[in-house]
Amino acid sequence: MSYMRHTITLIPGDGIGPEVSNAVQAIIQASGVAIEWEEASARGDIDRRGMDIMQSPAVKSILKNRVALKGPLATAVVTGPPSLNVQLRKALDLYANVRPVKNLAGVTSRFQNVDIVLIRENTEDLYAGLEHEVVPGVVESLKIITEKASTRIARFAFEYARKWGRKRIHSIHKANIMKMSDGLFLSSIRNVAKGYPDIEYKELIIDNACMQMVLNPCQFDMLLLTNLYGDIMSDLAAGLVGGLGVVPSGNIGEGVAIFEAVHGTAPDIAGKGLANPTALLMSGIMMLRYLNETNAAQRIEAALYQVYNDGKALTRDVGGSAGTSEFTDTVIRALRQ
Ligand code: NAI
């Protein structure tokens, strides 16, 4: 067991965020890892005073601590300020979104033996948010792809493959239509791939990739995608193993990272003690691995798998009848066995 003390920024978030954050804090504490949580809001001050996100307590805290665990943040649709999630990723240049998607025993899903890691470029593409009205009734949204960002995400993906023993990367594109933008993404990746002959490199057009994913997801090992395709395909992949409640995610930059659940704030069940902390817990396990707390990560993962295998204390969203605290206590008991 490591005796190193980590200070981690915790952004509990909105809706069920505080409930699932409390559960994850309790489980990580029970594992014996010494973490001091520095709780920071990403929202309050920004909304109230129109503050620059760089001045927010959350960003200041993350810049100091370098690692954060984050619950979901509510975002208005169509009108309202830009998504805080997107702003945080941009402010900290968290250029790689990592989404491991794997079956969890006891969770009903269409496929078994799915084990895919999706790597999504997080900073550009249509998410640059550059939209304007050309004339009334006509808007333009700019898709920005640069060689620099494409090369950086490709290096990240190939290095990730080597580090975690992955064998094959498919890059997903629509370069047959967007010959320049997706073409640049592809050519940048091909250049990087040449330096990694130990990793098999393949390409697939996005529409075919979606069909292949729902027909036979087990053929995929790692996917490398631009921002928009990555956003859509990572939720599609999550759906193949039981949904957003059972998959983690990490947003990684140079020496700084935010680990977060990918589900939303679940306003329909917020405050009722029904939320499933599994996704945030899995993100916490990813965070522990990032902090080199491998032993604690493995023990928490084993306890979580055991609780799912037993199937007696699962929350309602995955077919059980337990509340958040019963589930959390059961994981902690399994951890202490
Ligand atoms: P949602 O994920 O909050 O809810 C969809 C359904 O899944 C609901 O029935 C909800 O009860 C259920 N659900 C989600 N997480 C759950 C959990 N941990 N345990 C049990 N059930 C769970 O998606 P929705 O309704 O589209 O979004 C609500 C708000 O969340 C919006 O303001 C949206 O912008 C925000 N959001 C934030 C995200 C983030 O911060 N990363 C990601 C997605 C949405």
Side-chain angles (χ1 to χ4, degrees):
M1 187 182 297
S2 157
Y3 293 97
M4 188 174 168
R5 194 165 185 82
H6 308 276
T7 307
I8 306 290
T9 302
L10 177 72
I11 305 172
D14 306 318
I16 58 168
E19 296 165 67
V20 291
S21 303
N22 281 339
V24 172
Q25 281 177 284
I27 293 167
I28 292 181
Q29 188 182 355
S31 78
V33 181
I35 290 188
E36 191 178 315
W37 299 97
E38 192 171 284
E39 205 170 306
S41 159
R43 173 175 309 283
D45 288 356
I46 301 173
D47 280 1
R48 269 201 303 277
R49 296 191 239 138
M51 191 192 267
D52 170 6
I53 188 141
M54 293 310 285
Q55 300 303 320
S56 79
V59 170
K60 284 185 176 168
S61 170
I62 298 168
L63 284 173
K64 175 163 60 79
N65 299 327
R66 314 305 295 175
V67 180
L69 186 66
K70 177 189 154 297
L73 294 168
T75 304
V77 180
V78 185
T79 54
S83 154
L84 270 178
N85 293 311
V86 175
Q87 284 193 65
L88 272 176
R89 286 171 205 162
K90 274 193 187 158
L92 297 163
D93 196 23
L94 303 174
Y95 65 90
N97 182 258
V98 181
R99 297 266 295 256
V101 170
K102 207 175 163 178
N103 287 104
L104 191 55
V107 176
T108 314
S109 60
R110 287 179 189 275
F111 297 95
Q112 291 305 317
N113 305 318
V114 176
D115 183 3
I116 309 171
V117 177
L118 295 99
I119 308 280
R120 159 186 169 197
E121 203 292 322
N122 231 357
T123 63
E124 53 182 31
D125 193 9
L126 282 156
Y127 285 65
L130 299 172
E131 291 190 315
H132 65 273
E133 188 177 55
V134 182
V135 290
V138 181
V139 295
E140 191 171 49
S141 187
L142 299 181
K143 175 174 167 118
I144 307 292
I145 299 288
T146 65
E147 187 179 354
K148 192 174 164 205
S150 304
T151 303
R152 180 165 72 159
I153 195 68
R155 283 215 183 92
F156 179 94
F158 281 90
E159 284 297 318
Y160 183 101
R162 268 194 186 155
K163 178 166 184 197
W164 298 102
R166 296 267 163 181
K167 304 273 177 273
R168 190 166 56 253
I169 296 180
H170 278 86
S171 67
I172 310 298
H173 66 93
K174 191 76 186 174
N176 51 330
I177 304 295
M178 281 162 282
K179 293 179 193 291
M180 289 190 76
S181 53
D182 281 16
L184 180 58
F185 181 70
L186 271 192
S187 61
S188 309
I189 297 170
R190 284 176 192 163
N191 279 337
V192 172
K194 285 182 201 144
Y196 295 82
D198 47 320
I199 312 291
E200 188 185 351
Y201 174 64
K202 294 189 153 191
E203 295 170 354
L204 264 188
I205 294 176
I206 178 79
D207 34 351
N208 182 20
C210 289
M211 183 186 70
Q212 298 290 339
M213 277 287 271
V214 297
L215 279 177
N216 175 20
C218 302
Q219 65 183 296
F220 294 116
D221 189 8
M222 281 181 69
L223 303 185
L224 174 54
L225 312 102
T226 53
N227 209 340
L228 179 64
Y229 305 151
D231 191 7
I232 297 168
M233 277 203 82
S234 49
D235 277 21
L236 186 154
L240 300 173
V241 299
L244 297 184
V246 291
V247 291
S249 94
N251 292 290
I252 320 275
E254 297 299 341
V256 55
I258 299 182
F259 296 87
E260 63 176 333
V262 281
H263 58 70
T265 58
D268 51 335
I269 56 164
K272 295 184 180 159
L274 298 173
N276 183 357
T278 299
L280 192 64
L281 181 59
M282 290 175 129
S283 308
I285 293 169
M286 264 180 100
M287 180 188 81
L288 292 176
R289 292 211 162 95
Y290 179 86
L291 296 169
N292 287 323
E293 293 285 1
T294 316
N295 179 284
Q298 266 161 4
R299 285 187 297 115
I300 297 176
E301 195 168 61
L304 179 70
Y305 288 172
Q306 189 186 319
V307 171
Y308 270 88
N309 257 320
D310 291 349
K312 292 188 196 114
L314 302 184
T315 48
R316 291 203 316 195
D317 56 304
V318 286
S321 57
T324 311
S325 49
E326 185 186 343
F327 172 82
T328 307
D329 293 346
T330 311
V331 174
I332 291 174
R333 269 201 304 281
L335 187 56
R336 288 187 171 141
Q337 268 169 18

